[in-house]
Amino acid sequence: MSGILLLEQSLNGLQFGLMLFLLAAGLTLVFGIMDMINLAHGSLYMLGAYLMATLAQATGSFLVALPLAIVATGILGVLLEMSLLRKLYQRDHLAQVLATFALILIANEVVRMIWGAQPMMLATPAVLSGPVDLLPGLSYPSYRLLVIGVGLAVAALLYWLVTRTRTGMLVRAGASNREMATAMGVNIKRLFTIVFGIGAMLCALAGALLGPLLAVQVGMGEEILILAFVVIVIGGIGSIRGALVGALLVGMVDTIGRAFLPALFREFLPPQYAAGLGPGLASILIYLLMALVLFWKPQGLFPARG
Amino acid sequence: MTAAVPAMTAPVPARTAPVLEVRGLSKHFGGVQANADIELAVAAREIHALIGPNGAGKTTLVAQLAGMLAPDTGSIAFEGRQIQALAAHQRVRAGLARSFQITSIFRRFSVLENLALAVQARSGTSLSFWRPRHEDTAIFEEARELAQDVGLADREEELAGALAHGEQRQLEVGLALATCPRLLLLDEPMAGLGPEESERMIALLAALKGQIAMLLVEHDMDAVFRLADRISVLVAGRIIATGTPQAIRADAAVRAAYLGDAESAQSGPRSR
Amino acid sequence: MNQRSLAIAGIVALALLPPALQALDQVFYIGFAARILIYAMAASSLNLILGNGGMLSFGHAAFIGAGAYTVGILAAEGVGSAWVAWPLAIVCAAAAALVIGAISLRTRGVYFIMITLAFAQMVYYILVSMKAYGGDDGLNLGSRSAVGFGLDLKDEFTWYYTCLALLAVVLYLLNRMTAARFGRALEAIRENETRMEAIGFATYRHKLVAFVIAGAIAGLAGALLANQSSFVSPKLMHWTQSGTLMVMVIIGGVGHRYGGLVGALVLLGLEELIAEFTLYSQLGVGMVLLGIVLFAPQGIAGLFQRSATRPLP
């Protein structure tokens, strides 16, 4: 019984972790290569989700809407990079924080203006609305399985892209040593734009896939952005492998902690303490994890810079 | 490594205990051995030069001695006291100061302010929240004297970042001097200096000779052979020889390992 | 001397504000002005570590929350005296800053930004889970703190002047501090920490002291903020609050002695002003902030005066 529950929660954790990875991958590359703190990364995720919800309503098809939303967000990201963000690479972190914080405010208001303050509904595709029996006693929503499948596929694709292709090699070179990448004759400007565009597309994918599971609403980006930052700090800034490991760690620890810690506390503590302490500790678990990782490995688990 | 101290090592002058005594110091970076079994003694008031080709581990050794890099093994005694557990700033307060190979000064502060900070560090608490610092005339007076000593008296008000490279190197040494050290670790003070600036630096160090013990890491062989009382040669992380300048110049192993290729690449030992 | 007359002129202008607003029949804005003063205090405390010390703390709202919740919890337990609650708020915030700073200051650069953020998130979620004190919904104080001496903080004039007096004291203390040995050493650490160690400064301890002082002042600001609306909620500690404080410091002038004040004034004033014209005020605020980043890199104060971090004469 509890084994089944653990398995189910592990699948949830895996699914959440993979979605975090989609967000963290772009963030860690932008951060690692361009040394740029982009607080507006979560806004791209929000925009992706809203575009997806709108396009799904307009076209009536999840499958048609998905690529459209991804491409649209990618284009938005590229335009944003070329018009504004590239001006910030040479500035200090403070200027980047201020500018991208301003972008969050702007994005939230624009979304409110276009879509209104009420959360939007994004329905699961009809085919995938039912559960699947994975094991006797374990039936799991088929949509979540799809999310896991897509997440795994994209993670594998990204890993291949970064470790096996020429562009990926340049990206890694840029993350560990920018001067060297420039010396190798890389068109850094174009590389940055491409990386940013891919990051935006991954944001949109995560937003679109998570849309049916979480509410599509203003402010959704801010919450998940912090989690993505936790992921890349744990993994080591600039490292794709670190982002993957960090995302899975955070996804698992957060999900399993929330599922089991309150019950665990009820076992050992009087109810008046357990009621508050359990959920409280569960929600700070990942931050504790990050503090611990930084304590032992101040550069994260997989430092990209030597 | 047992043969760390070669036979030709010149004895430390007998009347004074060494001011610095290093035993069995080693450091790995990952799989790379930065230095191994370093044995080194600097006598009181001597200028002890440390030479060796690039990558021999000289800067690593200075960082270990200054407390900015923890050695894997080994002990460091300063004036008879074990200091390897002390943090960098505590070693400075104990009387062991360093200069940096890559100039490290307060670029947006004036020359006088640079030196005043270093004086402030050793005179009274810096956790003083009330009294305006500019009323602290004593530290500025001392800072002026120091500026005089290092030849920057007429540049006191200049921003450190606006100084010429040679002047910045003088300030670099001045900052270390301002801490009133009894041993000065000088990491390539002549780095990047032109001939004229080098002469000024050599004169500055020569004027300090006999007052403060120095461990002088330097590539400029002319400076080394003019200033040093003794020389240690570091090759691939190990000290292969220690001795007087004459002994080192004559040593076959040193010539083969180091001076031989250095003479073609750099200004080798010249006699004047 | 110019600095001094400027400061006096500023205080006089701020002191004359309530009667002026009353004459204009705009008494409502006195409360708003008090809020600006409180945020000015919070932003000034952040400016000490961020501007003078170069510590990019992204978790400053945690200390505001610690101060605010000290007042809120004490009020819920029946302790309404400002003389008890406010000093305790300062002490609690300072204690939180000591713990968070002691751990965070072992990291550098971006990792410092992120670990301070993580700690603030922990404080946020801990308070969200404290159901006994309102949890997510927050906690009503019922009334402002009591000070005695026939003063009633519920009176908007008294409240405004209390905030002004405390802000003036805090700014004076901060200015003394930054001009004293402590402040000069702090700026030098920002400029070149390795060199400061190499001339014998205990830089870690020095930064920690600054961090705790900033936390303590933020705690006082939090206590005032709790009183301002007679309400505390975890939202005070949301990471966007830390971001807002950072934004205030940046637009006011990083390391400038009145950067926090100018920043709070400009940001909150701007929000209020734009809200007059549109429902979507944050859009305008965002645009102005972007404009400041692109066209006034030294902040507003930097447009008029060089930063206080310039070298001594």
Side-chain angles (χ1 to χ4, degrees), chain B:
Chain B
M1 193 58 201
T2 45
V5 187
M8 56 165 293
T9 299
V12 170
R15 17 184 205 94
T16 48
V19 60
L20 180 79
E21 203 162 16
V22 178
R23 293 208 168 277
L25 213 60
S26 300
K27 180 74 187 173
H28 287 84
F29 292 115
V32 184
Q33 183 93 42
N35 54 31
D37 269 325
I38 300 284
E39 305 271 335
L40 185 69
V42 178
R45 300 202 179 88
E46 81 166 332
I47 296 187
H48 192 125
L50 183 69
I51 62 173
N54 282 323
K58 302 186 294 292
T59 294
T60 302
L61 180 58
V62 170
Q64 286 169 314
L65 297 180
M68 292 180 173
L69 191 66
D72 298 335
T73 57
S75 70
I76 307 165
F78 177 67
E79 295 180 333
R81 172 184 173 204
Q82 294 297 318
I83 60 163
Q84 59 267 25
L86 296 188
H89 69 270
Q90 291 169 318
R91 297 189 197 191
V92 178
R93 296 205 162 188
L96 176 67
R98 71 167 294 184
S99 76
F100 291 85
Q101 180 182 359
I102 298 163
T103 307
S104 178
I105 53 181
F106 305 100
R107 301 182 64 84
R108 290 194 293 173
F109 288 53
S110 71
V111 168
L112 194 62
E113 181 68 12
N114 267 271
L115 296 167
L117 275 165
V119 177
Q120 175 181 329
R122 65 170 155 79
S123 55
T125 177
S126 276
L127 292 180
S128 147
F129 302 93
W130 192 254
R131 190 161 156 243
R133 227 276 297 261
H134 59 80
E135 288 177 10
D136 221 336
T137 47
I139 62 173
F140 285 98
E141 267 164 34
E142 274 199 60
R144 279 200 182 86
E145 282 171 28
L146 279 157
Q148 187 95 45
D149 290 347
V150 297
L152 292 171
D154 52 344
R155 307 287 275 160
E156 280 173 2
E157 304 302 328
E158 197 69 49
L159 284 193
L163 295 178
H165 178 71
E167 292 171 323
Q168 290 187 350
R169 298 303 291 169
Q170 285 162 257
L171 180 58
E172 174 77 37
V173 174
L175 282 176
L177 275 182
T179 65
C180 284
R182 290 181 298 284
L183 172 64
L184 201 49
L185 306 172
L186 294 165
D187 197 355
E188 299 197 25
M190 324 280 169
L193 296 187
E196 208 173 301
E197 292 171 324
S198 285
E199 279 308 317
R200 214 175 318 151
M201 181 62 74
I202 290 172
L204 169 60
L205 297 182
L208 293 169
K209 186 169 177 167
Q211 300 169 41
I212 305 172
M214 288 179 232
L215 182 67
L216 173 67
V217 174
E218 190 46 68
H219 271 304
D220 182 336
M221 287 306 141
D222 180 37
V224 166
F225 281 92
R226 279 164 68 189
L227 287 168
D229 297 305
R230 289 192 304 158
I231 299 175
S232 289
V233 184
L234 191 67
V235 174
R238 292 170 196 280
I239 294 203
I240 61 163
T242 295
T244 62
Q246 296 83 342
I248 290 295
R249 218 189 297 241
D251 186 71
V254 173
R255 294 193 77 92
Y258 175 60
L259 288 180
D261 19 15
E263 250 168 352
S264 51
Q266 311 174 24
S267 58
R270 282 171 281 168
S271 50
R272 282 168 185 257

Side-chain angles (χ1 to χ4, degrees), chain A residues 91 109 223 287 290 299, chain C residues 110-111 114 121 238 282 293:
Chain A
R91 303 283 299 275
E109 288 290 47
E223 297 314 313
Y287 300 105
M290 171 175 145
Q299 305 280 305
Chain C
V110 166
Y111 292 94
M114 292 300 150
Q121 290 290 96
H238 195 258
Q282 296 296 311
V293 179

